PDB file of all heavy atoms in Angstrom:
ATOM      1  N   LEU A 377     -92.901  -9.622  49.354  1.00  0.00           N
ATOM      2  CA  LEU A 377     -92.563  -8.843  48.146  1.00  0.00           C
ATOM      3  C   LEU A 377     -91.992  -9.825  47.124  1.00  0.00           C
ATOM      4  O   LEU A 377     -91.164 -10.672  47.481  1.00  0.00           O
ATOM      5  CB  LEU A 377     -91.542  -7.768  48.505  1.00  0.00           C
ATOM      6  CG  LEU A 377     -91.112  -6.814  47.407  1.00  0.00           C
ATOM      7  CD1 LEU A 377     -92.284  -5.987  46.892  1.00  0.00           C
ATOM      8  CD2 LEU A 377     -89.984  -5.911  47.893  1.00  0.00           C
ATOM      9  N   LYS A 495     -90.422 -16.278  57.238  1.00  0.00           N
ATOM     10  CA  LYS A 495     -91.713 -16.291  57.903  1.00  0.00           C
ATOM     11  C   LYS A 495     -91.619 -16.896  59.304  1.00  0.00           C
ATOM     12  O   LYS A 495     -92.214 -16.401  60.239  1.00  0.00           O
ATOM     13  CB  LYS A 495     -92.724 -17.080  57.071  1.00  0.00           C
ATOM     14  CG  LYS A 495     -93.096 -16.410  55.760  1.00  0.00           C
ATOM     15  CD  LYS A 495     -93.806 -15.113  55.998  1.00  0.00           C
ATOM     16  CE  LYS A 495     -94.284 -14.488  54.708  1.00  0.00           C
ATOM     17  NZ  LYS A 495     -95.117 -13.331  54.950  1.00  0.00           N
ATOM     18  N   VAL A 504     -87.099 -13.262  44.966  1.00  0.00           N
ATOM     19  CA  VAL A 504     -86.709 -12.858  43.633  1.00  0.00           C
ATOM     20  C   VAL A 504     -86.807 -14.077  42.706  1.00  0.00           C
ATOM     21  O   VAL A 504     -86.751 -15.210  43.169  1.00  0.00           O
ATOM     22  CB  VAL A 504     -85.291 -12.246  43.580  1.00  0.00           C
ATOM     23  CG1 VAL A 504     -85.203 -10.987  44.414  1.00  0.00           C
ATOM     24  CG2 VAL A 504     -84.235 -13.264  44.018  1.00  0.00           C
TER      25      VAL A 504
END
Side-chain angles (χ1 to χ4, degrees):
L377 183 63
K495 293 295 185 172
V504 297

